Amino acid sequence: MDTVAAKNSRVLSGMRPTGLLHLGHYHGVLKNWVELQHEYECFFFVADWHALTTHYEDPSVIAGSTYDMVVDWLAAGVDHNAANIFIQSRVPEHAELYTLMSMFTPLGWLERVPSYKDQQEKLKEKNLATFGFLGYPLLQSADILMYKAGIVPVGEDQVAHVELTREIAGRFNHLYGREPGFEEKAKAAIKKMGKKNAKLYNNLRRAYQEKGDHEALDVGRALLENQQNLTISDQERLFGYLEGSGRIILPEPQSLLTKASKMPGLDGQKMSKSYGNTIALRDTPDAVEKALNKMPTDTARVRLTDPGEPGRCPVWQFHEVYSNSEVQEAVQVGCREASIGCIQCKSYVVDAVLAEIKPMQERAKEYTEDSSIVRNIIAEGSEKARDVAKETMEEVRQVMGLAFR
Ligand code: TRP
Ligand code: SF4
């Protein structure tokens, strides 16, 4: 049986299936996932239901995009032996938790999530005045709380959704973490920790509750995480007793803000499919080279002999991502002195980008030649995710009065 500790260090993140991924996804998200997978128990999933909230009129691209996206994850170094890769719709428990949470989620909480109005404004051509779109962040909360994830790596635009998830978890615990005889049960659980730890726990609890000492709260949590001889229920009680008056059944997650990706697009704006300025991870080397060579440069450099200014050139932004300090120095000086040509300057970038995507493309080959490998990886990951989801749902049904048999 896994412990609250394992759950709190779980990482969960999802991506909507948008088709082939590009360098922006790699530098902004995937590199981070690849690092996290060796440090934590990770769950990475394709949010196909979330895709439907905005693409319900044209679902034809979702299945293909799902496959392409998982291939890109694997190609970028997400390791299915280290992380669980799954598809949201293959774990229908997410829908059940979403429904149950909808019972106690105030409408106002959803209406004031910034993305709700922002996206409606931005995607005017779509009718997003739907129940599904309003529920988008609640579905995301269900994704996260299902795995009792402690860490949710996301971009800036998703932080409000994790914040909502914390509120939902708090409300859930407040409503359903109460139980008759809570205090007695908590006290009995404290005894099970042994004299020394029990005393420490009581002191930390007092320091937090009487003096608001947040460090004591953290230390108390860490202490509980290390108790091997407590049942999950007792651990939940003691997490709850530490700070309040009920069990903590669904722990509140933290967002792990991915450093804003500095990955520029071919035109100097942020790399994004909607700007048409991307380099896909699986673009052919030829296409990559052509695209980079066509990039605009400092418009003041008409002739080779005209000095330029890297600060006004989108190619320089690529050097900032890809070049070491020597190359950067050579470019700075050479550009300003007009001793380096733009084609030569770009050639460093071309080499670096190709070197980065080459191993990805080699890895992708195996998965595109035989799609059954990807199917198996997804089947296995979805199975493992479901095992966790089933455990959570049993607990949730129990406290929400749905366990009558
Ligand atoms: N909404 C996220 C996005 O657009 C995708 C997502 C769905 C997600 N469920 C999640 C991300 C749970 C993190 C955790 O990027
Ligand atoms: Fe841009 Fe490099 Fe040409 Fe300078 S030399 S304008 S940095 S491409």
Side-chain angles (χ1 to χ4, degrees):
M1 215 197 298
D2 51 13
T3 64
V4 176
K7 285 167 184 164
N8 281 342
S9 55
R10 253 185 211 147
V11 168
L12 174 124
S13 199
M15 241 190 240
R16 278 171 301 161
T18 46
L20 292 166
L21 301 185
H22 53 66
L23 288 175
H25 295 112
Y26 179 66
H27 286 271
V29 184
L30 293 175
K31 248 164 82 175
N32 204 232
W33 286 13
V34 170
E35 274 175 36
L36 289 166
Q37 69 187 353
H38 300 300
E39 289 170 50
Y40 299 97
E41 185 187 6
C42 289
F43 290 82
F44 299 131
F45 72 98
V46 181
D48 53 354
W49 283 337
H50 278 105
L52 273 179
T53 63
T54 50
H55 288 67
Y56 59 89
E57 284 189 283
D58 177 24
S60 62
V61 293
I62 293 180
S65 294
T66 296
Y67 171 66
D68 279 332
M69 201 165 77
V70 174
V71 169
D72 280 338
W73 290 358
L74 295 165
V78 177
D79 176 356
H80 66 279
N81 291 311
N84 297 297
I85 296 174
F86 69 97
I87 299 177
Q88 187 181 36
S89 63
R90 295 271 287 267
V91 186
E93 284 80 5
H94 288 224
E96 185 182 355
L97 184 56
Y98 169 66
T99 301
L100 293 182
M101 296 195 316
S102 76
M103 306 303 170
F104 60 80
T105 302
L107 264 183
W109 288 14
L110 296 175
E111 283 162 348
R112 69 174 144 80
V113 171
S115 57
Y116 179 57
K117 292 223 164 69
D118 291 355
Q119 293 294 103
Q120 284 187 337
E121 280 291 304
K122 228 170 127 191
L123 304 173
K124 273 225 167 70
E125 71 282 6
K126 293 186 175 155
N127 177 4
L128 295 182
T130 57
F131 174 61
F133 192 66
L134 177 67
Y136 184 112
L138 187 64
L139 179 58
Q140 186 162 348
S141 299
D143 299 336
I144 297 168
L145 296 176
M146 184 68 85
Y147 301 91
K148 305 190 177 184
I151 302 169
V152 185
V154 285
E156 194 101 47
D157 60 323
Q158 298 292 313
V159 171
H161 295 172
V162 179
E163 202 45 54
L164 174 79
T165 305
R166 295 167 58 81
E167 288 180 54
I168 300 281
R171 187 154 165 83
F172 182 94
N173 295 326
H174 176 72
L175 289 169
Y176 308 113
R178 289 158 191 269
E179 54 182 352
F182 173 74
E183 185 140 2
E184 290 69 38
K185 285 180 185 165
K187 282 181 178 154
I190 294 173
K191 285 210 182 104
K192 292 184 200 152
M193 287 198 286
K195 256 207 176 99
K196 205 171 123 232
N197 285 331
K199 190 165 165 212
L200 182 56
Y201 175 88
N202 283 325
N203 287 341
L204 292 164
R205 177 171 181 265
R206 214 167 304 122
Y208 175 66
Q209 297 204 347
E210 289 169 15
K211 299 189 208 103
D213 180 348
H214 280 270
E215 209 180 303
L217 181 60
D218 287 341
V219 178
R221 284 180 179 150
L223 174 71
L224 289 175
E225 281 171 9
N226 290 321
Q227 299 305 307
Q228 255 81 36
N229 49 354
L230 289 180
T231 61
I232 292 196
S233 305
D234 273 343
Q235 227 167 1
E236 286 171 355
R237 278 185 196 104
L238 293 188
F239 274 112
Y241 193 58
L242 194 59
E243 50 183 304
S245 58
R247 285 162 64 196
I248 296 196
I249 301 166
L250 301 176
E252 295 179 19
Q254 300 281 350
S255 47
L256 175 68
L257 199 55
T258 324
K259 292 180 269 346
S261 165
K262 291 217 196 76
M263 194 62 230
L266 290 163
D267 56 359
Q269 298 187 79
K270 180 181 160 162
M271 186 177 280
S272 160
K273 202 163 126 187
S274 52
Y275 297 144
N277 62 1
T278 63
I279 295 176
L281 303 183
R282 282 189 273 154
D283 276 348
T284 64
D286 223 31
V288 172
E289 186 168 354
K290 277 207 187 97
L292 287 167
N293 280 331
K294 271 207 309 232
M295 271 182 80
T297 56
D298 179 3
T299 46
R301 280 204 87 178
V302 184
R303 276 171 297 260
L304 190 56
T305 49
D306 297 332
E309 171 45 53
R312 285 195 303 257
C313 176
V315 178
W316 170 249
Q317 296 181 47
F318 273 75
H319 281 289
E320 287 187 311
V321 175
Y322 284 102
S323 300
N324 62 28
S325 51
E326 278 152 63
V327 173
Q328 289 189 356
E329 181 66 19
V331 166
Q332 291 269 346
V333 174
C335 179
R336 293 188 180 122
E337 284 179 351
S339 60
I340 177 179
C342 291
I343 289 293
Q344 192 195 341
C345 176
K346 286 175 171 179
S347 73
Y348 298 113
V349 172
V350 172
D351 291 348
V353 172
L354 291 181
E356 181 172 73
I357 61 179
K358 190 168 170 240
M360 297 189 208
Q361 303 199 344
E362 277 163 12
R363 273 196 292 267
K365 223 166 151 225
E366 175 188 1
Y367 304 117
T368 48
E369 277 169 4
D370 181 359
S371 69
S372 72
I373 301 177
V374 177
R375 282 175 219 284
N376 287 335
I377 288 172
I378 292 172
E380 208 175 289
S382 301
E383 205 53 50
K384 286 210 188 123
R386 247 194 126 174
D387 287 342
V388 177
K390 281 179 181 155
E391 251 187 62
T392 304
M393 285 319 298
E394 261 182 42
E395 224 179 334
V396 169
R397 286 185 209 118
Q398 180 77 38
V399 297
M400 289 188 76
L402 304 169
F404 179 75
R405 288 285 177 274

